[in-house]
Amino acid sequence: MADRPSTKRKKAGSKTSRTSSRLERRKSPLLAKNARNGAPAAHTSAAGKHFLSDKVGHFTESVIREMTRQAMLHAAVNLAQGFPDFPAPAEIKQAAQQAVAADVNQYAITWGAKSLRNAIARQMGVWQRITVDPEKEITVCCGSTEAMISTLLAICNTGDEVVIFEPFYENYGPDSVLSGAKPKFVKLRPPTTDGGEWTFDEKELRRAFDKHTKAIILNTPNNPTGKVFTRAELELIRDLCVEFDVLAITDEIYEHILYEGTTHVSMVSLEGMRERTVTINGMSKTYSVTGWRVGWAVAPEKITNAIRKVHDFLTVGAPAPLQEAGATALSLPPEYYAKLAEGYRVRRDHLMPALTAAGFKCFRPRGAYYVMTDISAFGFRDDVSFAKYLVQEIGVASVPGSSFYRDPRDGARQVRFAFCKKPETLDEAARRLRKLRATPAD
Ligand SMILES: Cc1ncc(COP(=O)(O)O)c(C=O)c1O
């Protein structure tokens, strides 16, 4: 596929390459795709000693976070990174302010403030009908990001294998590398019909499991696809976990963001999984506070003990006053969650028609707040050149699809948009996207 030949593109291209060279000097992850699975870069001192860990040569900085920096650089509408641009609920902001004023300003217990752990255990009972011991089975971390890496560091030995569905949330690749585990990817295939589901091949999944498999990382509702795994799919995964004696690490941070009556099934609630599941969740998405950095891992006691050790030496603890506010957040009434999901349904249905009108093929999400799209109609060489054009020339930031795949070629015709934004932000994005024109089919 060639870059689209048009005078506008050529003119735009000159600006693009000027900016690219600036990016190059900054070693942008956008331009360093080959570092993902490449050999470690040699950074040596004058005496010839390697100063850097070999591990960091195996991944780049986050492309998602880089796209936010690009959005700022080009004054673009940021539909790249998944953070809301609207206020967090007043009750929980007040709770945080009160906690600071009441001098909850010192280290909390390393594995989490009691009030928050109690609230997490209570809500796991309400939402998943799971009894959790807040004293022995919960570790509060600096976001679910830290909960995931602490879990992997706590359970993986070098050479252990971790099964990951792809496209995957960017962090899971580097998380596996840092913990010494070898990721094994299983494909989620895009829907072939309008409004269809992302699916996986049962046989391919089975082939990924063997005696070296330590864990499977599952994210439902899923970023970037919006897939919500069904009970039948989860039972299939459960059966493999039991057969091969494998742990399930489930990232459920979009648990409350569901559309069209879809239901979230938590892996830990399935028979046979209580003793082999680590459930990861957090405040970021459910309460629109991605900057607070409060998340948690719920796991059987023995695994929790290991996670707590790693967590203690990594970060000591999550922000104490914000944990208190977390206890308030988890006490919000059921209407809060219904409104949250409906608000995102409205935003999804605001952005998707604008994307479709501009020439994107949208894969309709069933949950979470992203829409994955196919960009074939624009005739660009790949997702990265398209995303650069979009942010620099059209003024809308997206995330190139390749950052969600092991092999960049698998995402070369996809980009992801986040719609966790105010209506006026989505309107402005729609206005700018009107400048974009798909190449007419031959
Ligand atoms: C699937 C998934 N997991 C984890 C995170 C990060 O969550 P936290 O802010 O709790 O670290 C994100 C953020 O976009 C995400 O999409």
Side-chain angles (χ1 to χ4, degrees):
M1 207 192 309
D3 267 5
R4 186 175 57 176
S6 82
T7 26
K8 187 162 183 281
R9 280 281 295 135
K10 270 194 204 125
K11 222 171 104 211
S14 55
K15 189 179 165 201
T16 303
S17 55
R18 270 206 313 277
T19 322
S20 292
S21 61
R22 194 164 59 229
L23 284 178
E24 238 142 18
R25 281 200 301 276
R26 292 185 49 235
K27 289 267 187 292
S28 160
L30 275 181
L31 298 166
K33 298 302 294 178
N34 56 353
R36 180 181 290 280
N37 292 317
H43 289 279
T44 50
S45 70
K49 190 179 271 179
H50 280 273
F51 281 161
L52 300 185
S53 147
D54 287 350
K55 287 175 181 163
V56 297
H58 289 273
F59 53 90
T60 68
E61 280 171 50
S62 157
V63 175
I64 299 177
R65 270 84 79 186
E66 165 66 5
M67 286 311 298
T68 285
R69 293 190 289 272
Q70 290 289 308
M72 289 162 85
L73 193 64
H74 299 285
V77 178
N78 188 358
L79 303 187
Q81 200 175 351
F83 61 83
D85 67 350
F86 46 83
E91 305 92 305
I92 71 165
K93 287 192 290 192
Q94 251 166 29
Q97 285 159 351
Q98 279 165 9
V100 171
D103 257 324
V104 185
N105 293 315
Q106 311 308 328
Y107 301 124
I109 295 172
T110 179
W111 49 79
K114 191 171 171 51
S115 58
L116 177 56
R117 281 181 290 115
N118 286 345
I120 294 165
R122 186 192 66 229
Q123 291 311 113
M124 292 256 326
V126 173
W127 292 324
Q128 302 302 336
R129 311 215 176 291
I130 289 293
T131 308
V132 171
D133 182 344
E135 295 306 323
K136 297 186 178 147
E137 297 185 304
I138 296 175
T139 312
V140 176
C141 295
C142 294
S144 55
T145 299
E146 196 235 320
M148 180 61 77
I149 186 75
S150 290
T151 301
L152 287 168
L153 288 169
I155 65 155
C156 287
N157 292 309
T158 307
D160 283 347
E161 292 177 357
V162 175
V163 177
I164 303 175
F165 285 104
E166 69 171 349
F168 55 89
Y169 172 57
E170 225 190 3
N171 284 29
Y172 303 154
D175 283 351
S176 312
V177 173
L178 290 172
S179 65
K182 191 172 149 224
K184 260 190 158 175
F185 296 97
V186 173
K187 290 223 153 34
L188 289 175
R189 293 176 206 286
T192 47
T193 55
D194 221 16
E197 306 284 350
W198 290 74
T199 52
F200 61 88
D201 178 40
E202 194 178 324
K203 290 199 198 85
E204 189 188 336
L205 180 65
R206 170 167 274 280
R207 277 199 301 275
F209 280 71
D210 62 28
K211 65 177 192 315
H212 303 293
T213 313
K214 178 61 78 68
I216 179 166
I217 297 179
L218 192 73
N219 170 217
T220 182
N222 183 262
N223 171 14
T225 64
K227 177 180 174 63
V228 179
F229 283 73
T230 63
R231 181 175 289 275
E233 287 171 330
L234 293 172
E235 284 175 351
L236 192 96
I237 297 166
R238 182 266 317 268
D239 292 347
L240 287 168
C241 287
V242 172
E243 183 181 336
F244 288 88
D245 198 14
V246 162
L247 274 175
I249 308 172
T250 69
D251 177 341
E252 305 186 7
I253 66 163
Y254 298 102
E255 145 180 46
H256 297 286
I257 304 176
L258 298 164
Y259 312 116
E260 279 108 30
T262 318
T263 44
H264 170 69
V265 179
S266 203
M267 185 59 112
V268 69
S269 69
L270 298 191
E271 204 190 325
M273 290 309 287
R274 181 68 177 85
E275 286 313 301
R276 56 174 71 252
T277 303
V278 180
T279 308
I280 288 177
N281 215 318
M283 294 185 68
S284 286
K285 312 294 176 173
T286 306
Y287 305 107
S288 306
V289 286
T290 59
W292 283 20
R293 315 309 303 131
V294 180
W296 49 87
V298 180
E301 182 176 354
K302 237 179 159 169
I303 299 173
T304 292
N305 287 342
I307 296 171
R308 285 179 175 185
K309 280 200 268 183
V310 175
H311 159 73
D312 192 3
F313 289 106
L314 271 183
T315 67
V316 178
L322 304 182
Q323 292 191 49
E324 293 304 330
T328 302
L330 280 146
S331 306
L332 289 172
E335 304 83 72
Y336 171 79
Y337 301 94
K339 253 172 113 177
L340 179 82
E342 176 56 12
Y344 281 124
R345 207 253 329 134
V346 170
R347 291 179 182 94
R348 180 196 66 175
D349 294 349
H350 190 152
L351 182 65
M352 274 182 51
L355 291 172
T356 306
F360 294 89
K361 182 175 154 199
C362 295
F363 302 118
R364 190 179 186 75
R366 302 276 189 260
Y369 50 47
Y370 307 95
V371 55
M372 195 68 151
T373 65
D374 184 298
I375 56 167
S376 303
F378 301 105
F380 274 69
R381 189 180 63 243
D382 59 30
D383 59 317
V384 173
S385 52
F386 178 76
K388 277 200 230 166
Y389 173 72
L390 201 64
V391 70
Q392 293 171 4
E393 307 300 329
I394 302 294
V396 176
S398 61
V399 179
S402 54
S403 55
F404 302 105
Y405 292 88
R406 170 196 39 180
D407 182 343
R409 284 172 300 187
D410 289 335
R413 284 151 55 128
Q414 295 172 353
V415 300
R416 187 201 76 176
F417 293 91
F419 52 82
C420 43
K421 307 293 170 185
K422 294 188 271 214
E424 50 272 37
T425 309
L426 298 175
D427 277 340
E428 179 57 22
R431 194 185 64 76
R432 293 179 184 204
L433 286 169
R434 273 184 226 123
K435 289 184 275 169
L436 197 56
R437 283 284 164 264
T439 311
D442 292 336

